[in-house]
Amino acid sequence: MSLYKQDKRQVCESCFDYIFIEMVHYFNDIDNSTDKEKELKSSKLEQMGYLTGQSLAERLTGDRSRFTDNLDVIKFVCKDFWSTIFKKQVDNLKTNHKGTYVLTDNNFKWFSKMSSNSGQEDFKKEVLPYLSFPCGIIRGVLSNLGINCTVLADVNPPNQCIFQIKTVKS
Amino acid sequence: MPGTYYFVIVGTKDNPIYEAEFTQGADASEGSPMKEDQKHLSQFIIHTALDVVDELMWCYKESYLKVVDKFNEWYISAYVTSNGMRFMLLHDTTNPEGIKNFFTDVHELYIKVLLNPFYEINSPITSRAFDNKVQQLKRKYLL
């Protein structure tokens, strides 16, 4: 069975939502005492995302020709990769041509079912842990396609996510 | 020897991740001194060819680089993936269609290995199932 043909078997999307929620809760519940441990938690989630992203990159680029240029890779991330993972394309891409790219997604799929009891300001604080995993995935995809970078994310409620990619000049 | 093939998957740090050799007819597990020397020589030849592949990688967008180098009577073909993994094949008879199909199928097998969450990228592939499948593909496309 080829990996690239359309499979008839499908899995319910909420399965992923539940496992994602549980992942973040697991890391949050380990130990909340020191700041250093809080950082370790988000870096563990990010590392999980990184490994996932690396494998995803190989899987999604397997049947197409190789990339010639950083901008091509970022465009691939914005179109093909985003459509496969989030079922839509990135809404806005900005670059300063010096290695920084800003991807804006106006309706981030993974947060579409989340809401906060205490209103918009607290939503931002509560949703931050959930951003480490997607950042890790993006970093993994880019690093496997040849771009070493750091990825930071920010949320504007409701559901607008901004990912800032800073490539490291070698 | 006609019909001998030596296949290596080289990682991003120039480390071999998987090696397999295949001889037509004779049993590949013979331990004669001639075979041992041949194996070391094959590794040297592939290592030299890596430089050529690194240069050619940036010139072409295609993954399959066909024959990149020649050593005495051996040809070296290469296939590069988007992630910088290089599949190198040492062979003495040319068969571009067969080799291209072989590389494409091994690439699919490699992606399946990557889907294993316990497999660390750039580490050696030790799965027996992968080994068996590669041997099957060799029999199908290269002989």
Side-chain angles (χ1 to χ4, degrees):
Chain A
M1 185 169 70
S2 164
L3 282 172
Y4 309 118
K5 298 206 187 89
Q6 203 63 3
D7 259 340
K8 294 279 188 254
R9 296 178 298 176
Q10 294 180 337
V11 175
C12 183
E13 267 180 30
S14 43
C15 290
F16 173 74
D17 284 338
Y18 294 137
I19 199 174
F20 183 48
I21 293 171
E22 199 47 45
M23 258 164 55
V24 180
H25 280 192
Y26 172 77
F27 283 106
N28 269 342
D29 289 341
I30 292 181
D31 198 344
N32 254 327
S33 47
T34 63
D35 270 336
K36 186 170 169 210
E37 261 147 25
K38 280 196 189 132
E39 263 182 49
L40 275 176
K41 271 181 289 197
S42 65
S43 71
K44 274 191 188 153
L45 267 176
E46 212 254 350
Q47 190 64 14
M48 281 169 69
Y50 181 72
L51 296 174
T52 315
Q54 281 188 321
S55 310
L56 269 177
E58 178 84 63
R59 182 172 174 182
L60 297 175
T61 58
D63 52 352
R64 48 167 300 156
S65 55
R66 286 178 295 119
F67 298 104
T68 41
D69 162 43
N70 277 0
L71 194 56
D72 271 341
V73 177
I74 301 278
K75 280 200 254 182
F76 162 77
V77 167
C78 294
K79 294 191 199 149
D80 296 329
F81 173 73
W82 224 262
S83 321
T84 316
I85 309 290
F86 304 117
K87 303 279 188 316
K88 62 187 284 281
Q89 295 189 359
V90 163
D91 294 307
N92 199 349
L93 167 66
K94 286 187 247 181
T95 173
N96 71 352
H97 293 295
K98 290 196 196 111
T100 307
Y101 302 90
V102 179
L103 276 63
T104 311
D105 187 340
N106 287 333
N107 196 2
F108 195 57
K109 193 135 201 303
W110 289 354
F111 298 164
S112 58
K113 312 243 173 5
M114 294 188 192
S115 69
S116 168
N117 274 338
S118 24
Q120 305 280 7
E121 314 78 35
D122 279 339
F123 178 73
K124 198 167 175 172
K125 202 173 59 160
E126 286 178 23
V127 112
L128 235 35
Y130 290 86
L131 282 173
S132 325
F133 190 65
C135 285
I137 294 187
I138 298 175
R139 191 168 72 93
V141 171
L142 289 174
S143 100
N144 226 4
L145 293 173
I147 304 181
N148 282 330
C149 58
T150 55
V151 182
L152 296 168
D154 199 14
V155 171
N156 286 330
N159 295 345
Q160 187 194 51
C161 265
I162 301 178
F163 292 94
Q164 233 190 28
I165 302 174
K166 290 203 178 78
T167 58
V168 176
K169 283 277 178 223
S170 54
Chain B
M1 300 153 267
T4 326
Y5 299 92
Y6 179 68
F7 173 65
V8 186
I9 301 181
V10 186
T12 52
K13 297 187 179 52
D14 291 348
N15 52 325
I17 289 180
Y18 175 75
E19 297 169 76
E21 55 179 11
F22 202 66
T23 331
Q24 187 177 21
D27 189 15
S29 54
E30 259 177 40
S32 64
M34 184 91 133
K35 279 267 182 177
E36 297 291 324
D37 280 350
Q38 180 59 40
K39 183 151 185 204
H40 289 140
L41 187 61
S42 310
Q43 286 197 339
F44 278 133
I45 300 175
I46 300 264
H47 202 82
T48 326
L50 277 181
D51 281 341
V52 185
V53 173
D54 280 343
E55 272 174 58
L56 286 180
M57 247 166 77
W58 305 111
C59 305
Y60 297 106
K61 271 176 79 164
E62 295 85 31
S63 294
Y64 176 49
L65 296 177
K66 304 202 189 93
V67 175
V68 297
D69 199 12
K70 191 171 181 306
F71 177 87
N72 292 350
E73 78 275 14
W74 299 96
Y75 297 96
I76 298 123
S77 296
Y79 177 96
V80 188
T81 70
S82 299
N83 301 352
M85 303 299 297
R86 288 151 291 183
F87 298 172
M88 315 277 291
L89 182 68
L90 192 66
H91 53 102
D92 50 7
T93 50
T94 51
N95 179 9
E97 264 314 299
I99 293 180
K100 180 176 184 181
N101 290 333
F102 173 72
F103 277 143
T104 319
D105 282 354
V106 174
H107 189 188
E108 279 199 26
L109 278 183
Y110 174 70
I111 292 182
K112 287 190 186 146
V113 170
L114 277 190
L115 291 180
N116 175 6
F118 297 119
Y119 172 69
E120 195 187 314
I121 292 198
N122 260 338
S123 65
I125 298 179
T126 50
S127 155
R128 287 246 64 176
F130 182 78
D131 197 25
N132 289 341
K133 291 239 172 70
V134 171
Q135 300 290 346
Q136 273 179 3
L137 285 178
K138 276 199 167 174
R139 258 174 257 135
K140 184 171 164 196
Y141 288 120
L142 297 179
L143 295 179

